[in-house]
Amino acid sequence: MERQNKITESDSNYNDLEQMDTHTLLSNINKEDQSVPISISESLPQIEALVDAVYVKLLRGGRLFYIGSGTSGRLGIVDASECPPTFGVGDDMVIGIIAGGDAAIRKAQEGAEDNMDAAWLDLQKQEISEKDFVVGISASGTTPYVLGGLKVCREEGILTGCIVCNTESPIAGFADYPVEVVVGPEFVTGSTRLKAGTAQKLVLNMLTTSVMIKLGRVKGNKMVDMMLTNQKLVDRGTRMLMNLYKWEYNHANELLLKYGSVRGVIDFIKN
């Protein structure tokens, strides 16, 4: 595993970064970032297969788990935490787990990623079963924490996927639905919080957004199940109803607050 030639660790296409002025730094970073969506487009068939597989599991009452370490783990937690307020699902439908536990969200726990057994122990605490789906997130595709977790999941008959940024990685070998987005060398050699992290975030966006749409959590192009947790979201929901039914603001707002969501009002009108 350690001898694998990792594209994510290859030398940057730029040198003498410290001698660049601010404009040059920003221009070069931006230039590199623009290559990420192109790389993702080449992986769309893999992403499509992953979305459809996850959708089936969630449709049948299963859960989606992300496992990762460092930046990858944090990205999984961010995506999972945004599903309830955006789509109105329970906070137990999409769950992010990071090596080292919650302390690693804010402060790096670098050694935690080397434990091959820890991810499965973390998943067992969530009473994982064959109804669920596990996606491992790792830029290198070699992180022991993720590798060990996916390996045991496969042994236990739990479907797995991964989001990695190297080809033919060990982690992809243990994923039933691998997604490999090869973004090439980082601007700062080996700093996978840059292009690799951006690629992972975009794929995660695509995964949960597509699955939630397929589950009926979007109507037209609106987040009809979003939680009304602040005034901005209440205002957004009110305006959705205004546009949908040609109501005045106060009337739409009153019904929204009464029924708790845009979908709640829509269901009331239907009945």
Side-chain angles (χ1 to χ4, degrees):
M1 183 173 69
E2 293 300 326
R3 295 180 181 178
Q4 183 196 21
N5 182 24
K6 304 175 187 176
I7 299 172
T8 52
E9 295 293 328
S10 55
D11 280 345
S12 171
N13 294 320
Y14 305 81
N15 206 346
D16 301 322
L17 305 187
E18 70 279 11
Q19 296 180 25
M20 295 180 184
D21 58 31
T22 302
H23 177 78
T24 303
L25 284 169
L26 297 177
S27 295
N28 288 333
I29 293 172
N30 181 246
K31 179 181 178 182
E32 289 297 303
D33 286 345
Q34 290 179 44
S35 70
V36 174
I38 297 173
S39 298
I40 290 175
S41 69
E42 297 172 358
S43 303
L44 286 178
Q46 292 182 326
I47 300 170
E48 179 181 355
L50 177 62
V51 166
D52 288 342
V54 171
Y55 163 68
V56 170
K57 287 292 185 180
L58 269 56
L59 182 65
R60 295 174 178 173
R63 299 167 294 173
L64 169 61
F65 288 91
Y66 296 134
I67 56 174
S69 69
T71 298
S72 296
R74 295 183 192 100
L75 289 170
I77 288 172
V78 167
D79 190 71
S81 67
E82 290 176 345
C83 287
T86 304
F87 301 108
V89 298
D91 58 12
D92 59 348
M93 178 179 278
V94 183
I95 300 171
I97 299 176
I98 187 171
D102 287 351
I105 297 173
R106 292 182 177 273
K107 186 176 181 181
Q109 308 282 327
E110 298 296 347
E113 72 174 56
D114 295 328
N115 189 333
M116 285 274 291
D117 302 319
W120 178 246
L121 294 175
D122 291 339
L123 288 167
Q124 284 184 303
K125 294 175 184 176
Q126 301 289 333
E127 299 182 350
I128 192 165
S129 73
E130 293 181 15
K131 291 174 58 178
D132 303 317
F133 198 106
V134 178
V135 173
I137 311 171
S138 167
S140 68
T142 63
T143 308
Y145 177 84
V146 177
L147 179 61
L150 295 190
K151 182 176 183 294
V152 179
C153 284
R154 172 167 284 186
E155 294 169 356
E156 296 292 328
I158 298 167
L159 282 181
T160 58
C162 72
I163 304 171
V164 298
C165 296
N166 280 311
T167 57
E168 301 180 354
S169 68
I171 285 175
F174 283 104
D176 300 299
Y177 296 90
V179 174
E180 299 168 307
V181 182
V182 182
V183 295
E186 297 288 1
F187 181 68
V188 176
T189 299
S191 182
T192 51
R193 59 182 283 273
L194 298 175
K195 289 193 297 182
T198 299
Q200 291 171 330
K201 176 68 169 88
L202 292 176
V203 173
L204 289 168
N205 286 349
M206 297 168 78
L207 171 58
T208 46
T209 301
S210 298
V211 168
M212 294 300 167
I213 290 171
K214 289 168 70 68
L215 288 171
R217 290 290 173 170
V218 172
K219 181 176 177 59
N221 58 16
K222 302 297 192 297
M223 298 180 289
V224 293
D225 289 314
M226 67 181 180
M227 294 182 180
L228 306 178
T229 53
N230 59 44
Q231 188 55 48
K232 177 190 72 175
L233 297 178
V234 171
D235 181 70
R236 180 185 297 164
T238 299
R239 295 185 184 282
M240 285 184 195
L241 293 172
M242 291 173 63
N243 291 334
L244 185 60
Y245 295 110
K246 309 305 179 186
W247 289 340
E248 294 295 328
Y249 186 95
N250 288 342
H251 180 64
N253 184 257
E254 179 181 351
L255 288 178
L256 177 66
L257 295 177
K258 180 177 180 179
Y259 292 99
S261 69
V262 174
R263 184 184 296 277
V265 176
I266 292 173
D267 290 343
F268 166 71
I269 296 298
K270 285 182 178 179
N271 296 329

